[in-house]
Amino acid sequence: MTANPVSNPAPATAVERRERAVRAAVEQGLLGPEQPVVGLLDVTGIRAAAAELRAAFDEVVAPGTPVLHAFAVKAAALVPVLRLLTDEGLGCEVASPGELALARAAGAAPDRIVLDSPAKTPAELREALDLGIALNADNPQELARLDSLVGAAPTRSPLGLRVNPQVGGGSIDALSTATATSKFGVALRDVGARDWVVRAFAERPWLTRLHAHVGSQGCPLELMAAGVRAAYELAEEINATIGRRQIDTLDIGGGLPVNFTSDEITPSYREYARLLKATVPGLLDGRYGLVTEFGRSLLAKSGVVLARVEYAKSAGGRPIAVTHAGAQLATRTVFAPTSWPLRVATYDADGHPKRTGPDGPVTQDIAGPCCFAGDLVAENRALPELAAGDLVGLLDTGAYYFSNHFAYNSLPRPGVYGFAPDGDGIRFAEVRKPQTVAEIVAESGGAEAEGLTAL
């Protein structure tokens, strides 16, 4: 007689992992009256996103093509997150000395770091060249600085030039970097600019990369692909004019938009990679190395800001849930709610999903703790009625919301924790400790209290 085979349970979905993590955060004391707001990151989801990115491009590039997926550090400037992504095979794209230091602290090798910034100082350029970090010059003046630095000392840094293909903007002006007047790169359609770029490469054999980035949230895939095609066609023109394959790598930036309306992950990396294959086939045929710089799309779906409702009140007949998550965390959502709306999940004090009452959902505002009237993360939103002690979850907040803190009212940065399934439970790992009041005083000049009175 043979025993029945033991069936393995299906892996938990992202929603199931999130719901379990919320309950566990309450049970394990990560959230409570003394710590009323916390950030949670789904490590399983982050690993899956990194794997999907690699697989999507592996499907379309010629075998043996060098591809570096460099995570945009600005999307989550947290060393443990960068270390996790490094372990998942990604590099780092940095835009400041601080971001470079974070990438190095996370263990990113210099040859897997790319420096982009429109305002690099001579010291930043020298550091990158000394370390062998790839960098993209933003404009003619920066290229002139590189002339002097490269002439003074050899470097193993791959060097490129950023161009603005000027293919247009998406639905969020502030995040559209390929408009006619964008501050980034050399504007290709300006009078004489294209000819200048071709000459710049012809005069500099060490200039071997071309970089273009169309934008991020709000930019459709077709617009992104159009920008990549413009950069590819320019590279082909430059190489043909010079008579050799001087440009060997194209940095196509990142910018895959995120769906903030549901748990569905759309668009996908596979959709974008296949669109590039159809739009710019020569980019992927093995003649060019490839660099990408995705950020938000790798992490957004794996994060939740969880906050206690401190008070439930009403004004003008509308209920208001006053929480500890507002503009200090969801800065873009508060100041530009139509461009950055967030989904809100509701939980009871034990972390169980709130159920709608017999009269249905209640239209209410979800307010933050900041001292200005517009500090609302959701306005006139139909949700289960919230009471003091309940919890709200701001969903899809894994990118930007945890590390781009707005220090309004000197509110502390919350603790951030990664989580993963552990049998039937959830295991947490600390990413960043909650900021203390003493630390706020220290970084606000506490040690220099007498500095002005002495003048």
Side-chain angles (χ1 to χ4, degrees):
M1 182 176 179
T2 59
N4 291 329
V6 176
S7 60
N8 293 321
T13 67
V15 175
E16 290 168 340
R17 291 194 302 270
R18 183 176 70 224
E19 300 303 322
R20 289 168 59 186
V22 169
R23 293 194 299 273
V26 176
E27 292 167 358
Q28 297 183 35
L30 300 184
L31 183 82
E34 302 305 315
Q35 294 290 348
V37 60
V38 69
L40 303 179
L41 279 169
D42 180 358
V43 172
T44 303
I46 295 171
R47 291 186 189 276
E52 288 163 9
L53 170 59
R54 296 195 313 269
F57 278 83
D58 286 348
E59 288 178 6
V60 299
V61 299
T65 301
V67 179
L68 172 62
H69 296 297
F71 172 71
V73 170
K74 58 184 171 288
L78 297 163
V79 171
V81 173
L82 303 182
R83 181 57 179 265
L84 173 64
L85 292 172
T86 298
D87 285 353
E88 290 299 311
L90 275 60
C92 290
E93 185 266 338
V94 301
S96 72
E99 289 185 357
L100 173 56
L102 294 175
R104 298 188 69 196
D111 63 357
R112 299 186 64 77
I113 299 175
V114 180
L115 172 61
D116 292 315
S117 164
K120 306 179 200 72
T121 66
E124 290 176 61
L125 295 172
R126 279 194 297 269
E127 181 182 23
L129 295 176
D130 289 344
L131 292 171
I133 289 170
L135 69 87
N136 295 307
D138 179 81
N139 55 69
Q141 294 172 57
E142 186 174 333
L143 200 54
R145 285 183 178 178
L146 286 176
D147 285 336
S148 298
L149 293 170
V150 171
T155 180
R156 59 187 188 279
S157 291
L159 302 175
L161 179 68
R162 179 168 184 169
V163 296
N164 171 9
Q166 293 176 295
V167 293
S171 61
I172 304 176
D173 290 343
L175 296 189
S176 298
T177 56
T179 60
T181 57
S182 170
K183 74 176 187 179
F184 292 101
V186 178
L188 279 183
R189 297 184 183 180
D190 283 13
V191 175
R194 192 180 189 94
D195 290 341
W196 179 86
V197 170
V198 174
R199 288 196 308 274
F201 276 87
E203 294 166 358
R204 297 169 176 85
W206 44 265
L207 202 56
T208 61
R209 292 187 172 189
L210 200 62
H211 172 42
H213 175 64
V214 168
S216 53
Q217 192 66 21
C219 289
L221 299 190
E222 292 76 15
L223 184 67
M224 294 166 59
V228 174
R229 181 175 180 83
Y232 164 78
E233 291 174 344
L234 176 60
E236 291 283 277
E237 179 184 342
I238 291 169
N239 285 342
T241 300
I242 296 174
R244 57 188 171 82
R245 191 154 295 281
Q246 179 171 318
I247 296 179
D248 59 23
T249 300
L250 288 173
D251 183 334
I252 64 172
L256 192 76
V258 169
N259 164 34
F260 286 100
T261 64
S262 75
D263 285 301
E264 184 180 5
I265 298 175
T266 179
S268 68
Y269 293 121
R270 181 167 282 107
E271 288 176 69
Y272 183 44
R274 290 179 176 176
L275 178 61
L276 291 177
K277 181 74 171 178
T279 306
V280 203
L283 171 71
L284 308 171
D285 64 10
R287 291 177 298 132
Y288 292 98
L290 196 64
V291 176
T292 71
E293 300 176 355
F294 296 102
R296 179 180 292 105
S297 55
L298 280 161
L299 292 184
K301 288 292 179 185
S302 294
V304 55
V305 171
L306 192 61
R308 290 184 79 248
V309 177
E310 194 66 40
Y311 301 110
K313 55 188 290 187
S314 67
R318 182 184 296 176
I320 304 170
V322 182
T323 81
H324 289 271
Q328 87 280 23
L329 298 173
T331 313
R332 284 174 169 171
T333 297
V334 168
F335 288 107
T338 57
S339 295
W340 298 99
L342 284 177
R343 294 184 294 144
V344 177
T346 59
Y347 306 91
D348 64 22
D350 295 321
H352 297 281
K354 286 276 287 188
R355 305 301 178 190
T356 301
D359 296 327
V362 174
T363 299
Q364 54 200 301
D365 292 347
I366 309 299
C370 298
C371 284
F372 65 95
D375 186 28
L376 303 172
V377 295
E379 190 172 3
N380 206 25
R381 188 79 61 89
L383 296 165
E385 187 170 11
L386 288 161
D390 285 341
L391 308 176
V392 297
L394 308 184
L395 307 184
D396 306 326
T397 48
Y400 291 95
Y401 289 84
F402 294 162
S403 63
N404 292 7
H405 192 81
F406 175 37
Y408 197 92
N409 288 139
S410 296
L411 289 163
R413 291 184 292 271
V416 179
Y417 302 86
F419 66 85
D422 184 19
D424 293 332
I426 289 288
R427 184 160 50 98
F428 291 101
E430 191 171 67
V431 174
R432 182 185 66 200
K433 294 181 183 297
Q435 188 181 30
T436 67
V437 171
E439 288 169 338
I440 294 174
V441 173
E443 71 175 28
S444 301
E448 291 77 35
E450 303 299 326
L452 298 182
T453 60
L455 294 179

